[in-house]
Amino acid sequence: MKFFLITIDVEDWFQVENLRPWFPMESWASQEIRVEYATRNILDLLDRVSAENGIRVKATFFTLAWIAQRMPHLVKEISSAGHEVASHGFSHQLCLEQAESELRRDLEESKKLLEDIIGDDVSGYRAPSFSISEKVLNVIRQAGYAYDASYNSFGLNGRYGKLDSTRYPNKGIALDLGDGFYELPLTNLKVPGGCLPCAGGGYFRLFPEAVFRAGVRNILKKQDAYHFYLHPWETDPDQPRQNQASALSRFRHYHNLKKTLPRLENLISSFRHCSFCTCREYLKAVSSDC
């Protein structure tokens, strides 16, 4: 059985790290909030593609607690639909830029808030911009999480954290960090001398659809699971535009937004033979097998 892990980072258009100079956290409450609309579009798509293909597509929604605090009904809706609710922290600050005490508070408060909303355990965490380190992972573990899903092996983005994955035994695509705590990396396409970004996000919009799909197919030939991520704002072409950012930042943020949902539907349909399960379900499956 091949597993296809769809993960959604539930944050809004103005909370993206590339736009932070124009939208500091103190300005968030005054911005046009569109994440509810965009997230519902993803939920509707997952329901529709499940029905059309005769499969059950479950996903993991790494939810920013700032959003959950204002829209608990949306978090309940995600959970009630059978998807996993996990944490994306509270303030979307890079973990590597926070003091340990500040990071611990962010981790614990976001976990508790989400658990209070859904009435269930929150097992997973994803760091903003994948900003982890060995030290950060220890804090995540100590905050009561069962897994982290933040390691991105693509090394050309300076915000991404580093991890020596060779130090840990594999369970499927997961890394067993010990004491029941796992790292669930994003999956990129390994090539001689490195890797190509094939885990989703902006690369899902930037690469030709057939090329991206071929990369996923290549990954699944070599391993038991593919781990994909996306943001709701990447499906929202009508979001407000920030024209003061650099041309490169604007291109990365706004390119092909109209195509994201149709591409996601096509991607799921192309791999409908896979098991579309949550991160927690995948870890349970591979840890019991190994």
Side-chain angles (χ1 to χ4, degrees):
M1 172 62 71
K2 299 290 186 177
F3 295 90
F4 197 119
L5 309 181
I6 296 176
T7 59
I8 308 297
D9 294 357
V10 184
E11 62 191 60
D12 219 327
W13 63 274
F14 51 84
Q15 294 165 325
V16 178
E17 193 64 28
N18 281 338
L19 301 184
R20 186 172 288 270
W22 298 276
F23 301 104
M25 188 176 181
E26 55 267 24
S27 74
W28 288 358
S30 63
Q31 304 305 324
E32 180 183 348
I33 296 178
R34 298 182 59 83
V35 68
E36 182 173 5
Y37 160 81
T39 302
R40 282 218 174 94
N41 282 342
I42 293 175
L43 290 170
D44 290 345
L45 182 149
L46 297 180
D47 283 344
R48 183 175 67 255
V49 76
S50 293
E52 291 175 351
N53 290 281
I55 57 177
R56 179 69 176 97
V57 180
K58 293 184 181 180
T60 302
F61 287 73
F62 291 94
T63 306
L64 197 67
W66 189 93
I67 297 292
Q69 194 174 53
R70 288 155 178 79
M71 299 179 186
H73 55 281
L74 179 62
V75 181
K76 290 178 181 177
E77 186 175 334
I78 292 168
S79 180
S80 296
H83 304 294
E84 179 184 358
V85 173
S87 173
H88 198 31
F90 209 107
S91 59
H92 208 266
Q93 289 182 276
L94 300 184
C95 296
L96 297 172
E97 295 181 356
Q98 296 185 74
E100 183 173 329
S101 59
E102 183 183 12
L103 174 60
R104 188 185 305 277
R105 183 170 59 252
D106 186 282
L107 289 162
E108 292 175 348
E109 289 182 355
S110 62
K111 188 176 193 295
K112 184 179 186 307
L113 176 68
L114 292 168
E115 289 176 339
D116 287 346
I117 291 173
I118 65 174
D120 193 9
D121 181 51
V122 167
S123 303
Y125 173 76
R126 170 163 292 156
S129 297
F130 309 123
S131 55
I132 57 159
S133 65
E134 298 278 359
K135 183 178 179 180
V136 167
L137 287 172
N138 283 332
V139 180
I140 296 169
R141 182 206 312 251
Q142 292 164 12
Y145 293 90
Y147 74 88
D148 173 76
S150 307
Y151 177 52
N152 191 325
S153 59
F154 183 61
L156 296 184
N157 190 314
R159 296 193 188 103
Y160 294 179
K162 308 296 182 184
L163 181 66
D164 183 2
S165 60
T166 63
R167 293 180 52 199
Y168 305 103
N170 287 90
K171 290 192 174 180
I173 63 169
L175 305 176
D176 186 350
L177 275 58
D179 299 323
F181 183 70
Y182 296 89
E183 174 60 42
L184 190 53
L186 280 301
T187 42
N188 292 309
L189 180 61
K190 294 180 181 179
V191 295
C195 68
L196 294 176
C198 199
Y203 307 106
F204 182 56
R205 294 180 286 111
L206 298 176
F207 291 166
E209 185 174 4
V211 172
F212 191 92
R213 190 162 54 243
V216 176
R217 188 174 295 111
N218 188 291
I219 289 170
L220 284 170
K221 284 181 179 178
K222 299 176 181 177
Q223 58 193 42
D224 79 325
Y226 168 67
H227 185 178
F228 173 85
Y229 78 99
L230 198 69
H231 305 85
W233 60 263
E234 292 185 273
T235 71
D236 181 14
D238 297 323
Q239 66 188 265
R241 299 288 173 127
Q242 166 48 251
N243 294 318
Q244 297 180 47
S246 69
L248 177 60
S249 291
R250 295 197 306 273
F251 177 77
R252 289 168 59 186
H253 190 95
Y254 300 116
H255 185 65
N256 275 343
L257 295 179
K258 288 183 178 180
K259 297 181 179 180
T260 307
L261 280 177
R263 285 187 174 190
L264 178 58
E265 185 167 0
N266 291 340
L267 185 68
I268 296 171
S269 298
S270 296
F271 294 93
R272 56 186 175 273
H273 59 280
C274 294
S275 175
F276 290 86
C277 66
T278 69
C279 292
R280 183 162 51 191
E281 289 171 335
Y282 174 73
L283 289 171
K284 183 178 180 180
V286 297
S287 61
S288 62
D289 288 343
C290 298

